[in-house]
Amino acid sequence: MDLAFPEVLQVEVTNRCNFNCSICIRNVWDVKPLDLALSLYRRIAKDFHRLRRLVLYGFGEPLVNPAFLEMLRIARSRLPENGEVSISTNGSLLTPQTADKMVKQVG
């Protein structure tokens, strides 16, 4: 590992969410809801080989980004063989088909 480079990187793939929870910080923001563009993600991914773990979530629900499965595929192809990908989801968009696709992308 490169000691001058972080071992873990968190990338917020979207700040949008399919829920509107009353306690969510997004209720007090004045921020435009956006997804991370796949083109920008690809540029960031050029350094994934230097990571131990990649975290693909932030204040939004990652599964609402239409490019999320492709982002997982890119992560797996660029991370070291023993690199980890972490996500956090509210689970409402997680169908058996989507879960299967996610596992295949990172497996």
Side-chain angles (χ1 to χ4, degrees):
M1 281 289 150
D2 180 353
L3 295 179
F5 198 85
E7 291 185 1
V8 179
L9 177 66
Q10 181 172 346
V11 177
E12 185 169 34
V13 298
T14 187
N15 65 3
R16 298 185 306 124
C17 186
N18 60 324
F19 283 5
N20 190 23
C21 301
S22 61
I23 61 169
C24 183
I25 191 170
R26 294 179 327 89
N27 288 318
V28 295
W29 278 358
D30 187 22
V31 176
K32 182 178 178 181
L34 293 171
D35 295 331
L36 177 64
L38 190 55
S39 58
L40 177 55
Y41 181 82
R42 286 183 198 280
R43 291 199 322 255
I44 297 167
K46 291 177 182 176
D47 283 320
F48 286 176
H49 68 279
R50 302 167 78 181
L51 298 174
R52 183 178 50 82
R53 183 166 41 131
L54 176 65
V55 180
L56 294 178
Y57 65 88
F59 290 119
E61 167 54 47
L63 294 176
V64 302
N65 185 323
F68 183 71
L69 290 175
E70 177 63 7
M71 290 175 170
L72 281 178
R73 187 197 66 73
I74 292 167
R76 183 68 276 151
S77 71
R78 301 282 174 92
L79 283 167
E81 188 175 321
N82 63 345
E84 300 174 5
V85 179
S86 298
I87 68 164
S88 181
T89 175
N90 62 34
S92 66
L93 302 174
L94 192 59
T95 65
Q97 296 81 11
T98 302
D100 187 53
K101 289 177 184 177
M102 290 171 63
V103 169
K104 287 179 180 172
Q105 296 296 6
V106 297

PDB file of all heavy atoms in Angstrom, residues 58-92:
ATOM      1  N   GLY A  58     -23.510   7.465   0.787  1.00  0.00           N
ATOM      2  CA  GLY A  58     -23.376   8.702   1.535  1.00  0.00           C
ATOM      3  C   GLY A  58     -24.728   9.013   2.141  1.00  0.00           C
ATOM      4  O   GLY A  58     -25.324   8.185   2.811  1.00  0.00           O
ATOM      5  N   PHE A  59     -25.257  10.192   1.851  1.00  0.00           N
ATOM      6  CA  PHE A  59     -26.561  10.571   2.396  1.00  0.00           C
ATOM      7  C   PHE A  59     -27.722  10.118   1.518  1.00  0.00           C
ATOM      8  O   PHE A  59     -28.869  10.255   1.901  1.00  0.00           O
ATOM      9  CB  PHE A  59     -26.643  12.088   2.605  1.00  0.00           C
ATOM     10  CG  PHE A  59     -25.772  12.567   3.727  1.00  0.00           C
ATOM     11  CD1 PHE A  59     -24.753  13.463   3.486  1.00  0.00           C
ATOM     12  CD2 PHE A  59     -25.956  12.112   5.009  1.00  0.00           C
ATOM     13  CE1 PHE A  59     -23.940  13.913   4.514  1.00  0.00           C
ATOM     14  CE2 PHE A  59     -25.155  12.537   6.053  1.00  0.00           C
ATOM     15  CZ  PHE A  59     -24.141  13.449   5.800  1.00  0.00           C
ATOM     16  N   GLY A  60     -27.437   9.581   0.348  1.00  0.00           N
ATOM     17  CA  GLY A  60     -28.495   9.122  -0.550  1.00  0.00           C
ATOM     18  C   GLY A  60     -28.615   7.608  -0.545  1.00  0.00           C
ATOM     19  O   GLY A  60     -27.844   6.900   0.095  1.00  0.00           O
ATOM     20  N   GLU A  61     -29.592   7.116  -1.284  1.00  0.00           N
ATOM     21  CA  GLU A  61     -29.820   5.685  -1.465  1.00  0.00           C
ATOM     22  C   GLU A  61     -29.096   5.255  -2.739  1.00  0.00           C
ATOM     23  O   GLU A  61     -29.496   5.627  -3.835  1.00  0.00           O
ATOM     24  CB  GLU A  61     -31.327   5.401  -1.582  1.00  0.00           C
ATOM     25  CG  GLU A  61     -31.696   4.030  -2.069  1.00  0.00           C
ATOM     26  CD  GLU A  61     -31.070   2.909  -1.270  1.00  0.00           C
ATOM     27  OE1 GLU A  61     -31.109   2.938  -0.026  1.00  0.00           O
ATOM     28  OE2 GLU A  61     -30.522   1.984  -1.902  1.00  0.00           O
ATOM     29  N   PRO A  62     -28.003   4.506  -2.624  1.00  0.00           N
ATOM     30  CA  PRO A  62     -27.184   4.205  -3.804  1.00  0.00           C
ATOM     31  C   PRO A  62     -27.931   3.502  -4.935  1.00  0.00           C
ATOM     32  O   PRO A  62     -27.617   3.703  -6.101  1.00  0.00           O
ATOM     33  CB  PRO A  62     -26.052   3.326  -3.250  1.00  0.00           C
ATOM     34  CG  PRO A  62     -26.455   2.925  -1.888  1.00  0.00           C
ATOM     35  CD  PRO A  62     -27.483   3.883  -1.414  1.00  0.00           C
ATOM     36  N   LEU A  63     -28.931   2.713  -4.609  1.00  0.00           N
ATOM     37  CA  LEU A  63     -29.634   1.968  -5.654  1.00  0.00           C
ATOM     38  C   LEU A  63     -30.507   2.841  -6.550  1.00  0.00           C
ATOM     39  O   LEU A  63     -30.969   2.370  -7.584  1.00  0.00           O
ATOM     40  CB  LEU A  63     -30.472   0.847  -5.030  1.00  0.00           C
ATOM     41  CG  LEU A  63     -29.669  -0.256  -4.342  1.00  0.00           C
ATOM     42  CD1 LEU A  63     -30.594  -1.255  -3.675  1.00  0.00           C
ATOM     43  CD2 LEU A  63     -28.739  -0.947  -5.309  1.00  0.00           C
ATOM     44  N   VAL A  64     -30.716   4.114  -6.211  1.00  0.00           N
ATOM     45  CA  VAL A  64     -31.484   4.981  -7.116  1.00  0.00           C
ATOM     46  C   VAL A  64     -30.630   5.500  -8.266  1.00  0.00           C
ATOM     47  O   VAL A  64     -31.167   5.954  -9.274  1.00  0.00           O
ATOM     48  CB  VAL A  64     -32.188   6.173  -6.397  1.00  0.00           C
ATOM     49  CG1 VAL A  64     -33.130   5.682  -5.320  1.00  0.00           C
ATOM     50  CG2 VAL A  64     -31.197   7.171  -5.864  1.00  0.00           C
ATOM     51  N   ASN A  65     -29.307   5.411  -8.148  1.00  0.00           N
ATOM     52  CA  ASN A  65     -28.454   5.813  -9.269  1.00  0.00           C
ATOM     53  C   ASN A  65     -28.565   4.738 -10.344  1.00  0.00           C
ATOM     54  O   ASN A  65     -28.232   3.580 -10.101  1.00  0.00           O
ATOM     55  CB  ASN A  65     -26.998   5.968  -8.811  1.00  0.00           C
ATOM     56  CG  ASN A  65     -26.101   6.509  -9.906  1.00  0.00           C
ATOM     57  OD1 ASN A  65     -26.245   6.179 -11.074  1.00  0.00           O
ATOM     58  ND2 ASN A  65     -25.148   7.340  -9.525  1.00  0.00           N
ATOM     59  N   PRO A  66     -29.028   5.100 -11.547  1.00  0.00           N
ATOM     60  CA  PRO A  66     -29.214   4.093 -12.596  1.00  0.00           C
ATOM     61  C   PRO A  66     -27.921   3.389 -13.009  1.00  0.00           C
ATOM     62  O   PRO A  66     -27.971   2.295 -13.568  1.00  0.00           O
ATOM     63  CB  PRO A  66     -29.796   4.877 -13.771  1.00  0.00           C
ATOM     64  CG  PRO A  66     -29.911   6.279 -13.354  1.00  0.00           C
ATOM     65  CD  PRO A  66     -29.427   6.427 -11.954  1.00  0.00           C
ATOM     66  N   ALA A  67     -26.782   3.977 -12.712  1.00  0.00           N
ATOM     67  CA  ALA A  67     -25.493   3.382 -13.084  1.00  0.00           C
ATOM     68  C   ALA A  67     -24.879   2.579 -11.944  1.00  0.00           C
ATOM     69  O   ALA A  67     -23.728   2.139 -12.046  1.00  0.00           O
ATOM     70  CB  ALA A  67     -24.532   4.484 -13.528  1.00  0.00           C
ATOM     71  N   PHE A  68     -25.607   2.358 -10.866  1.00  0.00           N
ATOM     72  CA  PHE A  68     -25.022   1.733  -9.688  1.00  0.00           C
ATOM     73  C   PHE A  68     -24.425   0.349  -9.968  1.00  0.00           C
ATOM     74  O   PHE A  68     -23.319   0.045  -9.517  1.00  0.00           O
ATOM     75  CB  PHE A  68     -26.031   1.653  -8.542  1.00  0.00           C
ATOM     76  CG  PHE A  68     -25.437   1.088  -7.288  1.00  0.00           C
ATOM     77  CD1 PHE A  68     -24.526   1.816  -6.555  1.00  0.00           C
ATOM     78  CD2 PHE A  68     -25.765  -0.184  -6.855  1.00  0.00           C
ATOM     79  CE1 PHE A  68     -23.940   1.290  -5.402  1.00  0.00           C
ATOM     80  CE2 PHE A  68     -25.195  -0.712  -5.706  1.00  0.00           C
ATOM     81  CZ  PHE A  68     -24.288   0.025  -4.983  1.00  0.00           C
ATOM     82  N   LEU A  69     -25.115  -0.499 -10.687  1.00  0.00           N
ATOM     83  CA  LEU A  69     -24.582  -1.837 -10.973  1.00  0.00           C
ATOM     84  C   LEU A  69     -23.295  -1.754 -11.794  1.00  0.00           C
ATOM     85  O   LEU A  69     -22.353  -2.518 -11.568  1.00  0.00           O
ATOM     86  CB  LEU A  69     -25.622  -2.707 -11.675  1.00  0.00           C
ATOM     87  CG  LEU A  69     -26.796  -3.141 -10.796  1.00  0.00           C
ATOM     88  CD1 LEU A  69     -27.835  -3.886 -11.627  1.00  0.00           C
ATOM     89  CD2 LEU A  69     -26.327  -3.994  -9.632  1.00  0.00           C
ATOM     90  N   GLU A  70     -23.226  -0.823 -12.722  1.00  0.00           N
ATOM     91  CA  GLU A  70     -22.004  -0.626 -13.502  1.00  0.00           C
ATOM     92  C   GLU A  70     -20.885  -0.114 -12.592  1.00  0.00           C
ATOM     93  O   GLU A  70     -19.720  -0.498 -12.745  1.00  0.00           O
ATOM     94  CB  GLU A  70     -22.252   0.335 -14.661  1.00  0.00           C
ATOM     95  CG  GLU A  70     -21.032   0.655 -15.485  1.00  0.00           C
ATOM     96  CD  GLU A  70     -20.414  -0.537 -16.223  1.00  0.00           C
ATOM     97  OE1 GLU A  70     -20.992  -1.642 -16.224  1.00  0.00           O
ATOM     98  OE2 GLU A  70     -19.322  -0.366 -16.792  1.00  0.00           O
ATOM     99  N   MET A  71     -21.224   0.729 -11.627  1.00  0.00           N
ATOM    100  CA  MET A  71     -20.230   1.218 -10.678  1.00  0.00           C
ATOM    101  C   MET A  71     -19.660   0.064  -9.852  1.00  0.00           C
ATOM    102  O   MET A  71     -18.453   0.019  -9.592  1.00  0.00           O
ATOM    103  CB  MET A  71     -20.833   2.291  -9.777  1.00  0.00           C
ATOM    104  CG  MET A  71     -21.129   3.571 -10.505  1.00  0.00           C
ATOM    105  SD  MET A  71     -21.963   4.757  -9.432  1.00  0.00           S
ATOM    106  CE  MET A  71     -21.908   6.227 -10.450  1.00  0.00           C
ATOM    107  N   LEU A  72     -20.513  -0.871  -9.471  1.00  0.00           N
ATOM    108  CA  LEU A  72     -20.028  -2.050  -8.756  1.00  0.00           C
ATOM    109  C   LEU A  72     -19.078  -2.869  -9.634  1.00  0.00           C
ATOM    110  O   LEU A  72     -18.032  -3.329  -9.173  1.00  0.00           O
ATOM    111  CB  LEU A  72     -21.192  -2.939  -8.322  1.00  0.00           C
ATOM    112  CG  LEU A  72     -21.977  -2.538  -7.098  1.00  0.00           C
ATOM    113  CD1 LEU A  72     -23.120  -3.519  -6.853  1.00  0.00           C
ATOM    114  CD2 LEU A  72     -21.090  -2.457  -5.874  1.00  0.00           C
ATOM    115  N   ARG A  73     -19.439  -3.049 -10.897  1.00  0.00           N
ATOM    116  CA  ARG A  73     -18.608  -3.814 -11.820  1.00  0.00           C
ATOM    117  C   ARG A  73     -17.233  -3.160 -11.970  1.00  0.00           C
ATOM    118  O   ARG A  73     -16.198  -3.824 -11.899  1.00  0.00           O
ATOM    119  CB  ARG A  73     -19.277  -3.943 -13.191  1.00  0.00           C
ATOM    120  CG  ARG A  73     -18.526  -4.882 -14.134  1.00  0.00           C
ATOM    121  CD  ARG A  73     -18.924  -4.691 -15.576  1.00  0.00           C
ATOM    122  NE  ARG A  73     -18.544  -3.385 -16.097  1.00  0.00           N
ATOM    123  CZ  ARG A  73     -17.287  -3.009 -16.392  1.00  0.00           C
ATOM    124  NH1 ARG A  73     -16.284  -3.822 -16.189  1.00  0.00           N
ATOM    125  NH2 ARG A  73     -17.043  -1.801 -16.869  1.00  0.00           N
ATOM    126  N   ILE A  74     -17.232  -1.855 -12.137  1.00  0.00           N
ATOM    127  CA  ILE A  74     -15.974  -1.113 -12.270  1.00  0.00           C
ATOM    128  C   ILE A  74     -15.149  -1.238 -10.993  1.00  0.00           C
ATOM    129  O   ILE A  74     -13.933  -1.459 -11.053  1.00  0.00           O
ATOM    130  CB  ILE A  74     -16.250   0.366 -12.612  1.00  0.00           C
ATOM    131  CG1 ILE A  74     -16.834   0.479 -14.022  1.00  0.00           C
ATOM    132  CG2 ILE A  74     -14.996   1.211 -12.459  1.00  0.00           C
ATOM    133  CD1 ILE A  74     -17.419   1.847 -14.346  1.00  0.00           C
ATOM    134  N   ALA A  75     -15.808  -1.111  -9.844  1.00  0.00           N
ATOM    135  CA  ALA A  75     -15.097  -1.226  -8.567  1.00  0.00           C
ATOM    136  C   ALA A  75     -14.385  -2.563  -8.468  1.00  0.00           C
ATOM    137  O   ALA A  75     -13.200  -2.630  -8.132  1.00  0.00           O
ATOM    138  CB  ALA A  75     -16.063  -1.050  -7.402  1.00  0.00           C
ATOM    139  N   ARG A  76     -15.095  -3.626  -8.759  1.00  0.00           N
ATOM    140  CA  ARG A  76     -14.492  -4.957  -8.650  1.00  0.00           C
ATOM    141  C   ARG A  76     -13.330  -5.126  -9.628  1.00  0.00           C
ATOM    142  O   ARG A  76     -12.312  -5.736  -9.304  1.00  0.00           O
ATOM    143  CB  ARG A  76     -15.554  -6.030  -8.901  1.00  0.00           C
ATOM    144  CG  ARG A  76     -15.080  -7.443  -8.740  1.00  0.00           C
ATOM    145  CD  ARG A  76     -14.732  -7.836  -7.299  1.00  0.00           C
ATOM    146  NE  ARG A  76     -13.369  -7.449  -6.942  1.00  0.00           N
ATOM    147  CZ  ARG A  76     -12.937  -7.142  -5.728  1.00  0.00           C
ATOM    148  NH1 ARG A  76     -13.737  -7.138  -4.705  1.00  0.00           N
ATOM    149  NH2 ARG A  76     -11.702  -6.806  -5.498  1.00  0.00           N
ATOM    150  N   SER A  77     -13.457  -4.555 -10.816  1.00  0.00           N
ATOM    151  CA  SER A  77     -12.399  -4.721 -11.818  1.00  0.00           C
ATOM    152  C   SER A  77     -11.165  -3.880 -11.501  1.00  0.00           C
ATOM    153  O   SER A  77     -10.072  -4.209 -11.942  1.00  0.00           O
ATOM    154  CB  SER A  77     -12.926  -4.365 -13.216  1.00  0.00           C
ATOM    155  OG  SER A  77     -13.150  -2.980 -13.342  1.00  0.00           O
ATOM    156  N   ARG A  78     -11.324  -2.821 -10.713  1.00  0.00           N
ATOM    157  CA  ARG A  78     -10.200  -1.913 -10.428  1.00  0.00           C
ATOM    158  C   ARG A  78      -9.587  -2.104  -9.050  1.00  0.00           C
ATOM    159  O   ARG A  78      -8.439  -1.749  -8.831  1.00  0.00           O
ATOM    160  CB  ARG A  78     -10.664  -0.458 -10.562  1.00  0.00           C
ATOM    161  CG  ARG A  78     -11.198  -0.094 -11.918  1.00  0.00           C
ATOM    162  CD  ARG A  78     -10.070   0.127 -12.912  1.00  0.00           C
ATOM    163  NE  ARG A  78     -10.542   0.354 -14.249  1.00  0.00           N
ATOM    164  CZ  ARG A  78     -10.798   1.526 -14.793  1.00  0.00           C
ATOM    165  NH1 ARG A  78     -10.635   2.623 -14.083  1.00  0.00           N
ATOM    166  NH2 ARG A  78     -11.222   1.614 -16.031  1.00  0.00           N
ATOM    167  N   LEU A  79     -10.352  -2.636  -8.108  1.00  0.00           N
ATOM    168  CA  LEU A  79      -9.820  -2.858  -6.761  1.00  0.00           C
ATOM    169  C   LEU A  79      -8.836  -4.019  -6.766  1.00  0.00           C
ATOM    170  O   LEU A  79      -8.907  -4.902  -7.627  1.00  0.00           O
ATOM    171  CB  LEU A  79     -10.956  -3.174  -5.780  1.00  0.00           C
ATOM    172  CG  LEU A  79     -11.802  -2.011  -5.307  1.00  0.00           C
ATOM    173  CD1 LEU A  79     -13.057  -2.511  -4.620  1.00  0.00           C
ATOM    174  CD2 LEU A  79     -11.018  -1.097  -4.386  1.00  0.00           C
ATOM    175  N   PRO A  80      -7.922  -4.065  -5.783  1.00  0.00           N
ATOM    176  CA  PRO A  80      -7.080  -5.254  -5.651  1.00  0.00           C
ATOM    177  C   PRO A  80      -7.956  -6.487  -5.430  1.00  0.00           C
ATOM    178  O   PRO A  80      -9.110  -6.376  -5.007  1.00  0.00           O
ATOM    179  CB  PRO A  80      -6.247  -4.963  -4.389  1.00  0.00           C
ATOM    180  CG  PRO A  80      -6.361  -3.511  -4.145  1.00  0.00           C
ATOM    181  CD  PRO A  80      -7.651  -3.067  -4.751  1.00  0.00           C
ATOM    182  N   GLU A  81      -7.405  -7.643  -5.690  1.00  0.00           N
ATOM    183  CA  GLU A  81      -8.177  -8.884  -5.571  1.00  0.00           C
ATOM    184  C   GLU A  81      -8.834  -9.038  -4.197  1.00  0.00           C
ATOM    185  O   GLU A  81      -9.958  -9.505  -4.076  1.00  0.00           O
ATOM    186  CB  GLU A  81      -7.280 -10.087  -5.850  1.00  0.00           C
ATOM    187  CG  GLU A  81      -8.036 -11.386  -5.935  1.00  0.00           C
ATOM    188  CD  GLU A  81      -7.160 -12.535  -6.337  1.00  0.00           C
ATOM    189  OE1 GLU A  81      -6.280 -12.347  -7.200  1.00  0.00           O
ATOM    190  OE2 GLU A  81      -7.349 -13.635  -5.779  1.00  0.00           O
ATOM    191  N   ASN A  82      -8.133  -8.613  -3.144  1.00  0.00           N
ATOM    192  CA  ASN A  82      -8.678  -8.720  -1.790  1.00  0.00           C
ATOM    193  C   ASN A  82      -9.366  -7.433  -1.330  1.00  0.00           C
ATOM    194  O   ASN A  82      -9.718  -7.294  -0.172  1.00  0.00           O
ATOM    195  CB  ASN A  82      -7.591  -9.121  -0.799  1.00  0.00           C
ATOM    196  CG  ASN A  82      -6.491  -8.070  -0.701  1.00  0.00           C
ATOM    197  OD1 ASN A  82      -6.384  -7.185  -1.549  1.00  0.00           O
ATOM    198  ND2 ASN A  82      -5.679  -8.178   0.322  1.00  0.00           N
ATOM    199  N   GLY A  83      -9.582  -6.483  -2.251  1.00  0.00           N
ATOM    200  CA  GLY A  83     -10.261  -5.233  -1.913  1.00  0.00           C
ATOM    201  C   GLY A  83     -11.735  -5.456  -1.619  1.00  0.00           C
ATOM    202  O   GLY A  83     -12.356  -6.366  -2.153  1.00  0.00           O
ATOM    203  N   GLU A  84     -12.283  -4.621  -0.762  1.00  0.00           N
ATOM    204  CA  GLU A  84     -13.679  -4.743  -0.337  1.00  0.00           C
ATOM    205  C   GLU A  84     -14.505  -3.587  -0.887  1.00  0.00           C
ATOM    206  O   GLU A  84     -14.021  -2.467  -0.999  1.00  0.00           O
ATOM    207  CB  GLU A  84     -13.779  -4.699   1.185  1.00  0.00           C
ATOM    208  CG  GLU A  84     -13.039  -5.787   1.896  1.00  0.00           C
ATOM    209  CD  GLU A  84     -13.054  -5.607   3.405  1.00  0.00           C
ATOM    210  OE1 GLU A  84     -13.727  -4.671   3.918  1.00  0.00           O
ATOM    211  OE2 GLU A  84     -12.394  -6.399   4.089  1.00  0.00           O
ATOM    212  N   VAL A  85     -15.772  -3.882  -1.167  1.00  0.00           N
ATOM    213  CA  VAL A  85     -16.746  -2.856  -1.541  1.00  0.00           C
ATOM    214  C   VAL A  85     -17.838  -2.881  -0.481  1.00  0.00           C
ATOM    215  O   VAL A  85     -18.378  -3.944  -0.172  1.00  0.00           O
ATOM    216  CB  VAL A  85     -17.374  -3.118  -2.922  1.00  0.00           C
ATOM    217  CG1 VAL A  85     -18.403  -2.043  -3.256  1.00  0.00           C
ATOM    218  CG2 VAL A  85     -16.309  -3.203  -3.998  1.00  0.00           C
ATOM    219  N   SER A  86     -18.162  -1.716   0.087  1.00  0.00           N
ATOM    220  CA  SER A  86     -19.234  -1.611   1.078  1.00  0.00           C
ATOM    221  C   SER A  86     -20.324  -0.697   0.548  1.00  0.00           C
ATOM    222  O   SER A  86     -20.027   0.307  -0.100  1.00  0.00           O
ATOM    223  CB  SER A  86     -18.716  -1.003   2.385  1.00  0.00           C
ATOM    224  OG  SER A  86     -17.738  -1.808   2.965  1.00  0.00           O
ATOM    225  N   ILE A  87     -21.563  -1.063   0.845  1.00  0.00           N
ATOM    226  CA  ILE A  87     -22.693  -0.186   0.545  1.00  0.00           C
ATOM    227  C   ILE A  87     -23.620  -0.189   1.749  1.00  0.00           C
ATOM    228  O   ILE A  87     -23.536  -1.060   2.610  1.00  0.00           O
ATOM    229  CB  ILE A  87     -23.479  -0.612  -0.717  1.00  0.00           C
ATOM    230  CG1 ILE A  87     -24.221  -1.933  -0.486  1.00  0.00           C
ATOM    231  CG2 ILE A  87     -22.590  -0.702  -1.928  1.00  0.00           C
ATOM    232  CD1 ILE A  87     -25.293  -2.210  -1.493  1.00  0.00           C
ATOM    233  N   SER A  88     -24.498   0.796   1.793  1.00  0.00           N
ATOM    234  CA  SER A  88     -25.566   0.834   2.771  1.00  0.00           C
ATOM    235  C   SER A  88     -26.826   1.227   2.028  1.00  0.00           C
ATOM    236  O   SER A  88     -26.817   2.199   1.268  1.00  0.00           O
ATOM    237  CB  SER A  88     -25.251   1.843   3.879  1.00  0.00           C
ATOM    238  OG  SER A  88     -26.286   1.858   4.833  1.00  0.00           O
ATOM    239  N   THR A  89     -27.881   0.472   2.223  1.00  0.00           N
ATOM    240  CA  THR A  89     -29.120   0.709   1.501  1.00  0.00           C
ATOM    241  C   THR A  89     -30.300   0.588   2.450  1.00  0.00           C
ATOM    242  O   THR A  89     -30.230  -0.137   3.446  1.00  0.00           O
ATOM    243  CB  THR A  89     -29.268  -0.288   0.328  1.00  0.00           C
ATOM    244  OG1 THR A  89     -30.544  -0.102  -0.297  1.00  0.00           O
ATOM    245  CG2 THR A  89     -29.151  -1.731   0.772  1.00  0.00           C
ATOM    246  N   ASN A  90     -31.389   1.273   2.125  1.00  0.00           N
ATOM    247  CA  ASN A  90     -32.603   1.094   2.916  1.00  0.00           C
ATOM    248  C   ASN A  90     -33.318  -0.194   2.523  1.00  0.00           C
ATOM    249  O   ASN A  90     -34.269  -0.597   3.165  1.00  0.00           O
ATOM    250  CB  ASN A  90     -33.532   2.317   2.826  1.00  0.00           C
ATOM    251  CG  ASN A  90     -34.031   2.593   1.424  1.00  0.00           C
ATOM    252  OD1 ASN A  90     -34.265   1.700   0.612  1.00  0.00           O
ATOM    253  ND2 ASN A  90     -34.211   3.882   1.110  1.00  0.00           N
ATOM    254  N   GLY A  91     -32.866  -0.826   1.455  1.00  0.00           N
ATOM    255  CA  GLY A  91     -33.359  -2.142   1.066  1.00  0.00           C
ATOM    256  C   GLY A  91     -34.654  -2.154   0.281  1.00  0.00           C
ATOM    257  O   GLY A  91     -35.047  -3.189  -0.239  1.00  0.00           O
ATOM    258  N   SER A  92     -35.301  -1.022   0.165  1.00  0.00           N
ATOM    259  CA  SER A  92     -36.610  -1.004  -0.488  1.00  0.00           C
ATOM    260  C   SER A  92     -36.545  -1.293  -1.988  1.00  0.00           C
ATOM    261  O   SER A  92     -37.522  -1.745  -2.577  1.00  0.00           O
ATOM    262  CB  SER A  92     -37.309   0.336  -0.245  1.00  0.00           C
ATOM    263  OG  SER A  92     -36.602   1.378  -0.888  1.00  0.00           O
TER     264      SER A  92
END
